Amino acid sequence: DAKTTQPPSMDCAEGRAANLPCNHSTISGNEYVYWYRQIHSQGPQYIIHGLKNNETNEMASLIITEDRKSSTLILPHATLRDTAVYYCIVRVVNYGQNFVFGPGTRLSVLP
Amino acid sequence: NAGVTQTPKFQVLKTGQSMTLQCAQDMNHEYMSWYRQDPGMGLRLIHYSVGAGITDQGEVPNGYNVSRSTTEDFPLRLLSAAPSQTSVYFCASSSPGVSSYEQYFGPGTRLTVT
């Protein structure tokens, strides 16, 4: 699985968009980009994933660059409850594959 | 559905003691795994299973055993606890194939070994 690089921490004002970057310059053609988050020592929670097209769901948007070497997770209107560690993971969708969680980005949403 | 459940929530062991961390899921997921998370770190895979009767090692398997006799249950055994095994343990499950993008995690077991 390709390695990812994320900033260790970020701040965001409540109500503003939070943009979390992720670099994955060695990603291969069959690897997807996944985002999970972990709120204060709870188990991680799936947010969104994508291959090469931008994706949006009720939680967030995922923007993947055309060369697929980086991506951005966007929380459009961050709330205090979005304070968490956000993990960017790349891996192949395959039976039996596991997720490799790096240190992630600690997002603090400030009132 | 209860999702993924783990027991106990907290446990304190003395060095050399053994114990079993329980994990169960009611979503009929074939795939289950155990992770550990040390303070300030990401999750590291201990063992995983792709179905009943099939298990395999992850990144940090030493000191732990697993078995998978049913689809629902995936217990993790600590054979002889060591202070280095002080950590938070998470169990997860998912469906195989194209649905495997979402792993469902339990609430965790916080283990302290003194």
Side-chain angles (χ1 to χ4, degrees), chain A residues 36 38 41 87 91 95-96 98, chain B residues 31 37 50 96 101 103 110:
Chain A
Y36 277 71
Q38 187 174 24
S41 70
Y87 300 100
R91 58 154 247 185
Y95 185 75
N98 290 289
Chain B
Y31 188 75
Q37 185 173 35
V50 300
Y101 61 84
Q103 280 200 327
R110 284 146 186 81

Side-chain angles (χ1 to χ4, degrees), chain A residues 32 34-50 85 87 91-104 106, chain B residues 30-33 35 37 40-45 47-48 50-51 59 88 90 94-108 110:
Chain A
Y32 285 68
Y34 298 80
W35 284 84
Y36 277 71
R37 73 180 182 183
Q38 187 174 24
I39 297 174
H40 187 56
S41 70
Q42 298 177 18
Q45 174 191 24
Y46 166 82
I47 301 173
I48 198 167
H49 77 289
V85 177
Y87 300 100
R91 58 154 247 185
V92 176
V93 173
N94 195 10
Y95 185 75
Q97 287 277 346
N98 290 289
F99 289 92
V100 178
F101 289 83
R106 181 171 297 277
Chain B
E30 293 186 38
Y31 188 75
M32 297 185 74
S33 53
Y35 295 85
Q37 185 173 35
M41 306 286 287
L43 282 73
R44 291 184 293 170
L45 183 68
H47 285 285
Y48 65 97
V50 300
E59 179 187 357
V88 181
F90 290 102
S94 63
S95 295
V98 295
S99 300
S100 67
Y101 61 84
E102 183 168 5
Q103 280 200 327
Y104 294 82
F105 284 81
R110 284 146 186 81

